[in-house]
Amino acid sequence: GQNIDQPTEMTATEGAIVQINCTYQTSGFNGLFWYQQHAGEAPTFLSYNVLDGLEEKGRFSSFLSRSKGYSYLLLKELQMKDSASYLCAVRDGGGSYIPTFGRGTSLIVHP
Amino acid sequence: DAGVTQSPTHLIKTRGQQVTLRCSPKSGHDTVSWYQQALGQGPQFIFQYYEEEERQRGNFPDRFSGHQFPNYSSELNVNALLLGDSALYLCASTLSSAFDTGELFFGEGSRLTVL
């Protein structure tokens, strides 16, 4: 099975930087995803990491360390609209291509 | 270009009843997955359909069944509803040739309340 752990809730100030961590334990590994989900809306894809290192995409960056079973999502220049749940999802190495989602981290951005 | 559409958006049922939820994938996508998302939780994988066949299944009882049609649209059926089936049901589509990158496109979901 898989175990994915991420903080339940985080708060930050508009304009600041926040890092949302995700740790996982899987039998094999075939990619890690981050999705954003605003309240009452569909999850939307943010990033995909399969190799170690940092992937940067505008204000958002995602980092992966496969040896540590660890990833983080870095959000810079926070905006009020970034208040949402951030879901970490991991695919194991069984060839299923089905990601398992964590519980999500609810980020609240204050003015 | 229409995204993933789901219907109905909200519905209320009583215990023991049956429900059918519908999903039309994003244009050009041939694979549909269904997820159950309880309040405050992440989406839990129910099953995936490709070429009108159930390709993979998560840890859900047989009360949960599905179907995919030749136009790639899909239905999720839940029989003998329990209170614990109350959740947001999300449909996600992808293109089979893009399984590697695995980006899922989600619909807005169907909010099911079982009383």
Side-chain angles (χ1 to χ4, degrees):
Chain A
Q2 301 183 10
N3 186 29
I4 300 169
D5 192 36
Q6 49 182 134
T8 304
E9 186 175 296
M10 299 182 70
T11 58
T13 305
E14 194 176 15
I17 299 173
V18 70
Q19 177 175 311
I20 302 175
N21 296 324
C22 172
T23 57
Y24 63 89
Q25 293 174 316
T26 59
S27 52
F29 176 82
N30 190 22
L32 185 144
F33 305 83
W34 285 95
Y35 284 81
Q36 179 191 59
Q37 185 176 25
H38 286 100
E41 297 183 13
T44 54
F45 171 82
L46 289 177
S47 68
Y48 169 69
N49 295 70
V50 66
L51 299 176
D52 291 351
L54 188 68
E55 295 279 344
E56 296 185 82
K57 192 185 293 185
R59 294 189 300 114
F60 292 8
S61 303
S62 57
F63 171 83
L64 174 67
S65 169
R66 290 172 295 171
S67 63
K68 296 179 179 171
Y70 168 69
S71 173
Y72 67 72
L73 181 69
L74 192 71
L75 291 75
K76 303 175 186 175
E77 300 169 16
L78 280 172
Q79 303 175 9
M80 297 297 289
K81 68 178 182 180
D82 297 329
S83 293
S85 180
Y86 291 86
L87 301 162
C88 174
V90 180
R91 286 196 307 210
D92 65 23
S96 75
Y97 293 106
I98 303 296
T100 297
F101 284 82
R103 297 178 57 159
T105 298
S106 177
L107 174 65
I108 301 169
V109 180
H110 295 291
Chain B
D1 179 22
V4 179
T5 58
Q6 293 186 242
S7 64
T9 54
H10 295 82
L11 68 167
I12 299 173
K13 293 285 187 178
T14 57
R15 280 178 296 177
Q17 284 189 311
Q18 178 265 344
V19 68
T20 298
L21 308 178
R22 296 175 176 83
C23 171
S24 292
K26 180 178 169 64
S27 178
H29 284 184
D30 57 4
T31 303
V32 172
S33 300
W34 287 92
Y35 287 82
Q36 180 195 66
Q37 187 175 27
L39 202 60
Q41 303 291 319
Q44 299 297 307
F45 174 70
I46 303 175
F47 41 55
Q48 183 184 76
Y49 276 84
Y50 170 64
E51 292 188 336
E52 302 179 51
E53 299 272 340
E54 183 182 288
R55 187 168 176 270
Q56 289 191 62
R57 188 179 183 92
N59 189 25
F60 278 80
D62 292 345
R63 298 187 297 109
F64 290 76
S65 63
H67 189 80
Q68 186 180 35
F69 300 93
N71 66 354
Y72 307 122
S73 67
S74 177
E75 287 182 350
L76 164 65
N77 301 291
V78 187
N79 295 323
L81 284 167
L82 304 173
L83 295 179
D85 295 331
S86 296
L88 180 68
Y89 288 85
L90 294 165
C91 171
S93 74
T94 189
L95 192 56
S96 55
S97 59
F99 278 158
D100 272 359
T101 56
E103 179 181 350
L104 297 172
F105 291 81
F106 284 89
E108 298 285 339
S110 294
R111 172 76 62 190
L112 171 65
T113 301
V114 182
L115 302 176

